[in-house]
Amino acid sequence: MPRFTIHDLAETIDVRAAAGGEVSYTRKLLDKGAEHCAKKFGEEAVETVIAAVENDRAHLIAEGADLLYHFLVLLKSRGVKLEEVEAALDKRTNMSGLEEKASRKG
């Protein structure tokens, strides 16, 4: 059984972004602009943190899914592709996390 990936989600968002706002929540979000998409992402981030702090596994999973969806919508709203974020992550894997973090301070 094939598993659902973040790339599948990004593709679904692309398809739904091309649909009309009357049938697509994704399109409605995008029509409200990047700032609105950023606020929605922030709301989901807070809800994810709360679920983690409360140690509510099922809620954390659900909020994590919402967070990933809204992150990809935010990227779409600014014309950033998932592959660009992956490329940035790929560059960082060539050094330890501590080295990478220290390199950003300069």
Side-chain angles (χ1 to χ4, degrees):
M1 176 167 144
R3 61 177 217 185
F4 187 81
T5 70
I6 196 162
H7 287 276
D8 295 327
L9 179 57
E11 185 176 325
T12 298
I13 288 168
D14 286 343
V15 169
R16 293 185 180 165
E22 65 281 348
V23 296
S24 170
Y25 177 64
T26 300
R27 180 75 258 156
K28 283 185 177 187
L29 288 171
L30 293 168
D31 286 346
K32 291 181 179 180
E35 294 81 8
H36 179 78
C37 294
K39 287 177 186 175
K40 287 298 293 179
F41 175 69
E43 290 170 14
E44 295 303 334
V46 169
E47 291 171 5
T48 301
V49 169
I50 291 168
V53 169
E54 292 177 347
N55 197 23
D56 185 336
R57 180 180 169 81
H59 192 210
L60 178 57
I61 291 168
E63 292 300 339
D66 289 346
L67 182 69
L68 289 174
Y69 165 78
H70 283 282
F71 177 61
L72 292 177
V73 171
L74 176 58
L75 292 179
K76 177 89 175 161
S77 74
R78 287 296 190 201
V80 176
K81 297 198 174 296
L82 176 59
E83 291 79 7
E84 294 174 273
V85 176
E86 289 175 323
L89 288 169
D90 184 51
K91 287 181 186 175
R92 295 178 185 185
T93 61
N94 294 324
M95 61 180 84
S96 78
L98 294 175
E99 290 172 321
E100 190 281 324
K101 188 170 183 170
S103 74
R104 288 190 272 153
K105 290 183 180 176

